[in-house]
Amino acid sequence: MSWPVIALIDFVTIISFENIFYPFQNQGLSVVISWIFLLFTYVIPYALISSQMSLTFDNQAGGLASWVRHSSNDTLGYWTSWMYWVQSVPYIVDVSNSIIVSFSWIIFGDNSLDKRMSTFWFGMLTFVIILIFILLENRLKNSLEILSLIGGGAMFIMSMLFVLLAGWAVMHGHHIATQPFNLGAFKPSFSLNYFSTTGLLIFAMSGAELAAPYVSQMRNPKRDFPKAMWMLAIMTGFLTIFGTLALAMFFNAHHIPHDFKMNGPYYAFQLLGNSLGIGKTLMYIFAVVQALFMMAQLAVLLDASSRVFAGDVADRFMPKWLTEKKNKSGRPVHSYTFTVGLSLFLLLLTGTLPNINTIYNWLLNINGIISPYKTCWVFFAFVAMRMHQERYHSDYVFIKNKTGALTVGWWCLIFTFVCATLGFIPQNVKMGTPAFSHQLIMNFITVFVLFGLGLILPWMRKHEEKKNKQ
């Protein structure tokens, strides 16, 4: 495989057009400064750290879990596997929600879903979608992996198209919505809200380690894999920075619609279409691409989330009733049962929220907590490996000076952990209100349950082994 292909595959897996909307709502135009800062101090080091780790452990199929396992021990390798799996559950629910939203725009052509559907039926329909995709997993997986590449490629084209056409529209007389559009508008506020929403930026840009399995499929990984990571970082930087500037052309950064995270991408293409004189055409094209991409992503996510239960390391820490019964693909059947159960748990929690828009925003908030905690393991593995670098060989070394490499590794690890922890603070609700307290409690309960199960399963395995010996 060539390095541009690997960069593109990783890019469409990591970031999509909608990923630039919720940071824009949270931080306004000042998020451009955040994107630029993160590009040079976080995204590029992250990508190059992933390059070294991928080339150091190029014969390991476990990806991030293998990095942690071989740089530390089996127990931490299991924890990485567990956190990698469990962080996908809120995202699975979030993707299922996005499927419903995209079809509502295809059918109704507007933002009326919140008025047409109750939170109960929204949750039920989300659960049914997850259940259908699990039941049809073996039949859908291969075809939808192809669709994910097609949909992902189309999503990338739509994203670039929006940026380019927005620039063209402004040059041909379109009025810039954000006023004043000057240097002062880009100045960050550095408030508690600003820092508590940075975890969502990390969630939007993380995932460079997903390219690790492709190392073995490259002709010259030493030379080409770092190139793929550089291309990935540059593409991510381009979309986030110029995509945000394009949004400022059509939306007033000081008065953003309250449902911007859920409906913003559709609003954007509708406004762009109106500016170009083609009405809702672009919006409908985007809605179809979004629906295809999200369905394909759901199928791939459900398959990937079962892999942790099939691994050798995981098997040592999980009770046999969870791992013994397997389907035709060799995946433990009860991994899907577990996924359904935790999805239902999340949906029951979201049922206590007042409307669909709040549900959508809260799930994004949870992803902004759990996903960065998972990403911490990338930097933990890098620091652990570089502390004993004489034990390992890699064809590519990110920062040859040991002290410099450890400084960058520790910076990324601490920064990610702090942003994930600050993410517990609820967003889009006023501090001190009952709604704020409600969502804060929901955040703690969710993280406690999802991560806490990772402690219970090894205990159950030990109890099972003692029982068998008696």
Side-chain angles (χ1 to χ4, degrees):
M1 294 179 70
S2 65
W3 60 268
V5 171
I6 287 177
L8 281 169
I9 289 172
D10 212 14
F11 179 80
V12 299
T13 308
I14 292 170
I15 192 165
S16 64
F17 182 60
E18 63 179 8
N19 288 148
I20 64 174
F21 283 80
Y22 36 88
F24 187 69
Q25 182 174 12
N26 290 331
Q27 298 185 11
L29 204 51
S30 69
V31 77
V32 172
I33 303 300
S34 302
W35 288 128
I36 294 171
F37 172 77
L38 287 173
L39 175 64
F40 292 102
T41 65
Y42 189 82
V43 176
I44 292 174
Y46 182 4
L48 298 180
I49 283 170
S50 296
S51 292
Q52 179 170 355
M53 298 305 290
S54 297
L55 292 167
T56 302
F57 304 108
D58 57 349
N59 61 342
Q60 300 296 323
L64 179 56
S66 294
W67 300 354
V68 174
R69 181 188 176 195
H70 289 281
S71 61
S72 53
N73 56 59
D74 285 355
T75 302
L76 293 180
Y78 158 75
W79 263 105
T80 307
S81 291
W82 175 259
M83 288 178 69
Y84 213 97
W85 174 74
V86 88
Q87 64 91 33
S88 70
V89 177
Y91 193 48
I92 284 169
V93 177
D94 189 27
V95 169
S96 302
N97 285 348
S98 295
I99 291 171
I100 299 170
V101 173
S102 61
F103 273 105
S104 75
W105 277 89
I106 293 170
I107 296 167
F108 305 121
D110 56 33
N111 63 346
S112 60
L113 177 66
D114 218 343
K115 298 173 185 175
R116 295 174 183 267
M117 187 178 288
S118 67
T119 55
F120 172 79
W121 286 111
F122 185 68
M124 284 296 294
L125 190 53
T126 301
F127 184 71
V128 168
I129 288 172
I130 294 170
L131 204 57
I132 289 171
F133 271 74
I134 285 176
L135 293 173
L136 299 177
E137 175 65 26
N138 292 325
R139 294 182 183 179
L140 290 174
K141 180 181 172 290
N142 293 332
S143 59
L144 286 182
E145 277 184 341
I146 296 168
L147 266 181
S148 68
L149 285 176
I150 296 170
M155 181 66 72
F156 173 68
I157 292 169
M158 292 295 288
S159 303
M160 295 300 108
L161 196 65
F162 178 79
V163 173
L164 295 173
L165 289 177
W168 185 89
V170 170
M171 287 189 290
H172 287 78
H174 179 82
H175 175 71
I176 298 174
T178 300
Q179 294 296 335
F181 192 77
N182 54 27
L183 288 176
F186 292 87
K187 186 180 177 182
S189 64
F190 297 121
S191 62
L192 183 61
N193 177 70
Y194 179 87
F195 290 109
S196 67
T197 57
T198 304
L200 274 173
L201 275 72
I202 293 174
F203 165 62
M205 296 187 295
S206 63
E209 71 279 0
L210 293 171
Y214 299 109
V215 170
S216 60
Q217 299 179 39
M218 301 184 76
R219 289 181 182 177
N220 191 337
K222 176 184 178 181
R223 182 192 66 198
D224 291 343
F225 194 79
K227 286 182 183 178
M229 293 297 99
W230 269 108
M231 181 177 171
L232 173 67
I234 292 167
M235 289 169 68
T236 303
F238 177 86
L239 176 60
T240 53
I241 294 166
F242 289 97
T244 302
L245 290 173
L247 289 181
M249 305 297 108
F250 294 97
F251 299 97
N252 185 347
H254 308 294
H255 300 284
I256 299 170
H258 75 285
D259 59 345
F260 194 68
K261 293 178 182 177
M262 182 169 76
N263 294 313
Y266 306 95
Y267 292 151
F269 276 104
Q270 188 170 336
L271 289 169
L272 178 60
N274 291 337
S275 178
L276 298 174
I278 56 175
K280 292 185 175 182
T281 304
L282 285 175
M283 183 276 289
Y284 280 114
I285 293 172
F286 173 78
V288 171
V289 170
Q290 177 81 335
L292 289 173
F293 182 50
M294 286 299 168
M295 286 191 290
Q297 204 169 31
L298 180 57
V300 175
L301 275 170
L302 288 170
D303 178 71
S305 67
S306 67
R307 294 177 188 272
V308 64
F309 293 91
D312 291 335
V313 176
D315 186 59
R316 289 180 49 208
F317 292 90
M318 291 187 181
K320 287 191 175 181
W321 59 267
L322 251 180
T323 57
E324 279 185 338
K325 190 177 179 182
K326 294 184 166 81
N327 60 16
K328 293 178 182 178
S329 302
R331 298 280 180 261
V333 173
H334 291 297
S335 67
Y336 298 111
T337 310
F338 225 46
T339 302
V340 169
L342 286 178
S343 298
L344 185 59
F345 158 71
L346 285 176
L347 290 168
L348 288 172
L349 276 181
T350 60
T352 65
L353 295 171
N355 53 56
I356 292 174
N357 184 55
T358 309
I359 290 172
Y360 202 91
N361 291 346
W362 179 75
L363 278 168
L364 278 172
N365 191 178
I366 285 295
N367 280 310
I369 301 169
I370 294 178
S371 181
Y373 275 136
K374 173 269 302 179
T375 304
C376 287
W377 288 109
V378 175
F379 308 117
F380 171 86
F382 177 73
V383 168
M385 187 269 290
R386 290 303 297 262
M387 286 179 74
H388 304 284
Q389 59 186 29
E390 66 280 355
R391 302 177 190 172
Y392 308 95
H393 169 75
S394 177
D395 290 329
Y396 170 79
V397 178
F398 170 62
I399 306 180
K400 293 184 179 180
N401 179 272
K402 183 177 179 180
T403 303
L406 287 173
T407 301
V408 173
W410 276 112
W411 148 253
C412 289
L413 175 58
I414 294 168
F415 178 74
T416 307
F417 183 83
V418 169
C419 288
T421 306
L422 286 173
F424 277 97
I425 300 170
Q427 298 161 22
N428 307 116
V429 283
K430 191 175 180 181
M431 188 176 288
T433 61
F436 180 91
S437 302
H438 182 196
Q439 290 192 32
L440 183 64
I441 293 168
M442 285 176 66
N443 290 345
F444 278 107
I445 290 173
T446 302
V447 176
F448 178 78
V449 170
L450 295 183
F451 287 163
L453 279 171
L455 283 171
I456 294 172
L457 292 176
W459 175 82
M460 291 176 70
R461 178 60 186 264
K462 285 182 181 179
H463 181 73
E464 189 178 69
E465 287 175 347
K466 284 181 182 180
K467 193 175 179 181
N468 291 335
K469 286 178 183 179
Q470 290 175 355

